[in-house]
Structures are given as structure tokens and as C-alpha cells.
């Protein structure tokens, strides 16, 4: 698992780095068979409508060649980070489910099976 943390000075805060590392560990523990490369950017921004907020962006590359990108902005950095990682866990689970369904053999239509059965008699 590769983790890169970037952003402005807010990203250098020790408590924020610990939270990001803990959330990343939970993500990796949830999907142990999936190699994950994650990059997290934390930045402070000013929005005309909402005022000062903290934006967290997670970009995760999965071993299956897929990518998950999640962005969230909240007043408190801890809330933004938690929301980003919970959304990422749901998205990774959904991608894995789709890839398993893509690998599953599709059954033949009933009409095709019936005609094959009739032809063999």
C-alpha cells in the first residue's frame, strides 16, 4: 500500500496526518486482497456561499486497474476526511462487486437451452 499526503500547511498537521493514516489502514484492512495506491490532498479554501472550508480529495488506484476519486469539503477537517474515506469504501466495494459480476459466466437464455434439449432427442 502506497500513501501520499499533500496539500497546504493544513496537511502537515500531525492530528490530520494520523487520522488519514488510520482511515487508510481501515480501507486496506477492509480489502486485503486489493493492492491500493492512495493520494490524499487536504486544502483550505474559501467559498462565497459557505465561507472557509477544508477540502479533502482522495484518489485511489486499485490493483484491478480501476480508480476511485472522492472529494468532500466541510467546515472541520476531520469530518471531511471521514466522509471521503467512508464514500471511498462504498465505491471500492461497488467496483469489486461489478468486477466479480463481469467475471461470472452468464447463463444461456431459457429458449436456447430448450431448443438444444429438443434437438438432442
Amino acid at each position: 500500500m502506497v500513501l501520499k499526503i499533500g496539500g497546504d500547511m493544513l496537511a502537515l498537521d500531525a492530528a490530520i496526518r494520523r487520522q488519514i493514516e488510520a482511515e487508510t489502514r481501515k480501507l486496506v484492512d477492509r480489502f486485503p486482497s486489493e493492492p491500493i495506491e492512495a493520494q490524499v490532498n487536504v486544502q483550505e479554501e474559501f467559498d462565497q456561499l459557505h465561507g472557509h472550508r477544508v477540502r479533502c480529495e482522495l484518489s485511489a488506484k486499485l490493483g484491478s486497474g480501476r480508480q476511485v476519486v472522492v472529494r468532500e469539503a466541510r467546515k472541520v477537517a476531520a469530518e471531511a476526511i471521514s466522509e471521503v474515506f467512508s464514500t471511498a469504501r462504498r465505491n471500492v466495494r461497488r467496483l469489486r462487486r461489478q468486477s466479480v459480476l463481469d467475471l461470472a459466466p452468464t447463463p444461456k437464455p431459457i429458449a436456447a437451452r430448450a431448443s438444444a434439449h429438443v434437438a438432442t432427442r
Side-chain angles (χ1 to χ4, degrees):
M1 216 278 321
V2 177
L3 173 65
K4 296 178 185 176
I5 301 174
D8 57 12
M9 295 299 285
L10 190 64
L12 298 177
D13 184 51
I16 290 174
R17 291 183 72 80
R18 279 194 302 272
Q19 182 185 7
I20 291 171
E21 290 167 355
E23 292 284 350
T24 304
R25 261 186 256 113
K26 283 197 284 187
L27 180 67
V28 170
D29 291 345
R30 175 70 177 90
F31 307 102
S33 63
E34 187 81 51
I36 299 174
E37 290 182 32
Q39 181 171 349
V40 180
N41 288 318
V42 181
Q43 296 178 353
E44 201 169 4
E45 67 177 17
F46 180 77
D47 184 2
Q48 292 283 349
L49 186 60
H50 301 289
H52 287 283
R53 297 166 45 160
V54 176
R55 176 175 296 279
C56 182
E57 179 180 318
L58 168 67
S59 174
K61 294 179 184 174
L62 308 176
S64 59
R66 299 185 182 212
Q67 184 175 9
V68 174
V69 177
V70 182
R71 295 178 189 95
E72 184 64 41
R74 298 281 174 101
K75 293 279 186 186
V76 180
E79 292 175 4
I81 294 167
S82 295
E83 185 64 29
V84 161
F85 277 94
S86 66
T87 304
R89 280 190 290 275
R90 282 193 306 268
N91 290 347
V92 169
R93 187 172 48 243
R94 188 176 301 128
L95 284 174
R96 288 178 51 131
R97 191 176 311 132
Q98 287 175 353
S99 66
V100 167
L101 291 176
D102 290 342
L103 295 175
T106 56
K108 293 181 181 178
I110 294 173
R113 282 188 277 168
S115 64
H117 183 64
V118 171
T120 58
R121 287 187 174 190

